[in-house]
């Protein structure tokens, strides 16, 4: 076995990003062969990543990239187990690298990007000890595209016909704050309206009991109209000027809102409920055995 020098440990550390002791042990196991040590560490990283794959990753970051001509954009979500990791440079670098690759390749969904980044993901998991996943990607193309990031947790891309990037960004900021469900009322399906009607009737059964049918119908109609206004982007009061509806804002600028895409970290992911008291009790019981 060749002698393991400090220079060898330093080189392996710089090439893998792993700790000094881990690099020293890997070199010793590989008989001083740096390339073999790297291969072994990568294999160990893949095993570690596989073990971490079952851990729920519901934190992370949203990232957006808009083309220089403001005609296309890519938005991605990359998840981690903790928000602490999402704030670290290694994770941020992985997110940015993933975004750049997805944008340059013209990907329209996450699947090919996940495949491209698997080795880098495994290396990050091995280094940070947390599960990390590229969850989703969307590519948006239109006459005008604008984006807004609220910290690292909410990202929005708005597509316009007409207008300019500044208007699109302002509307994206509104979407980030107000979280509309649809662009306009006509996009709300009859099934959604019927469900809202059922919910209203169930919640207000006492108030409408004994009232004439036409009165009940007007009450339901009022609630549905309110729901459509609250859920539809064009009907919402603009956050920067509540006297103006978002739809009127766009129309005044000679623009039409085509679509919006809003990503929020962890939305829709079922998070595990942890009973810390039970967990501690189990650990204490195990230590007494």
């Amino acid at each position: 076995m060749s002698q393991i020098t400090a220079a060898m440990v330093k080189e392996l550390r710089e090439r893998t990003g792993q700790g000094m002791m881990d690099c020293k042990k890997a070199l010793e196991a590989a008989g001083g062969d740096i390339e073999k040590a790297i291969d072994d560490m990568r294999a160990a990283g893949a095993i570690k990543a596989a073990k971490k794959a079952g851990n729920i990753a519901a934190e992370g970051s949203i990232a957006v990239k808009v083309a220089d001509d403001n005609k296309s954009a890519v938005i991605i979500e990359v998840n981690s187990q903790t928000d602490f990791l999402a704030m670290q440079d290694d994770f941020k670098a992985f997110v940015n690298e993933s975004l750049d690759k997805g944008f340059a390749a013209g990907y329209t969904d996450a699947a090919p990007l996940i495949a491209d980044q698997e080795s880098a993901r495994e290396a990050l998991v091995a280094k940070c000890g947390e599960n990390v996943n590229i969850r989703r990607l969307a590519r948006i193309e239109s006459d005008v595209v604008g984006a807004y990031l609220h910290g690292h947790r909410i990202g929005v891309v708005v597509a316009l016909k007409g207008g300019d990037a500044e208007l699109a960004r302002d509307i994206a900021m509104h979407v980030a704050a107000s979280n509309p469900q649809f662009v306009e009322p006509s996009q709300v399906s009859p099934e959604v309206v019927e469900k809202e009607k059922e919910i209203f009737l169930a919640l207000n059964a006492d108030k409408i009991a004994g009232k004439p049918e036409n009165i009940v119908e007007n009450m339901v109609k009022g609630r549905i109209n309110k729901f459509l206004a609250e859920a539809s982007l064009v009907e919402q009061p603009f956050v920067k000027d509540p006297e103006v509806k978002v739809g009127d804002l766009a129309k005044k600028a000679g623009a039409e809102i085509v679509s919006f895409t809003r990503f929020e970290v962890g939305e829709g992911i079922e998070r595990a409920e942890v009973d810390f008291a039970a967990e501690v009790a189990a650990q204490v019981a195990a230590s007494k055995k």
Side-chain angles (χ1 to χ4, degrees), residues 264-286:
E264 184 167 351
V265 167
E267 59 189 347
I269 297 177
E270 187 174 344
R271 301 169 190 251
E273 294 294 331
V274 180
D275 187 336
F276 289 106
E279 190 175 286
V280 172
Q283 290 176 354
V284 171

Side-chain angles (χ1 to χ4, degrees), residues 47-57 81 121 125 130-133 270 272:
I47 293 170
K48 189 171 185 179
K51 289 179 178 178
K52 293 288 182 182
N55 294 347
I56 295 173
Q81 287 177 238
R121 186 193 74 85
V125 171
E130 285 191 24
N131 191 19
V132 172
N133 290 309
E270 187 174 344

Side-chain angles (χ1 to χ4, degrees), residues 118-253:
E118 183 58 18
S119 294
R121 186 193 74 85
E122 288 176 352
L124 178 59
V125 171
K127 185 174 183 181
C128 71
E130 285 191 24
N131 191 19
V132 172
N133 290 309
I134 298 172
R135 184 186 181 199
R136 51 183 171 165
L137 173 152
R139 182 177 182 87
I140 299 92
E141 297 179 344
S142 191
D143 286 353
V144 178
V145 168
Y148 174 77
L149 269 176
H150 186 70
H152 64 283
R153 299 192 63 85
I154 299 175
V156 179
V157 178
V158 166
L160 300 178
K161 183 177 180 180
D164 56 30
E166 184 178 352
L167 174 64
R169 185 183 183 281
D170 275 349
I171 296 174
M173 182 189 300
H174 172 94
V175 172
S178 299
N179 194 17
Q181 297 177 47
F182 314 94
V183 173
E184 54 186 63
S186 63
Q187 294 178 342
V188 184
S189 69
E191 291 78 16
V192 171
V193 172
E194 186 61 30
K195 186 66 177 177
E196 188 65 22
K197 177 180 176 180
E198 291 175 5
I199 292 171
F200 174 79
L201 291 173
L203 291 176
N204 295 275
D206 293 341
K207 292 181 181 179
I208 62 180
K211 284 187 168 54
E213 186 177 337
N214 66 315
I215 297 297
V216 174
E217 286 179 0
N218 286 335
M219 290 175 67
V220 170
K221 184 178 179 181
R223 173 54 205 162
I224 294 303
N225 288 338
K226 184 179 179 184
F227 165 72
L228 292 175
E230 291 173 346
S232 304
L233 174 59
V234 297
E235 295 296 321
Q236 291 181 340
F238 182 43
V239 289
K240 292 172 72 173
D241 183 1
E243 298 299 317
V244 178
K245 289 183 179 180
V246 175
D248 293 334
L249 176 75
K251 191 178 295 183
K252 186 178 179 180

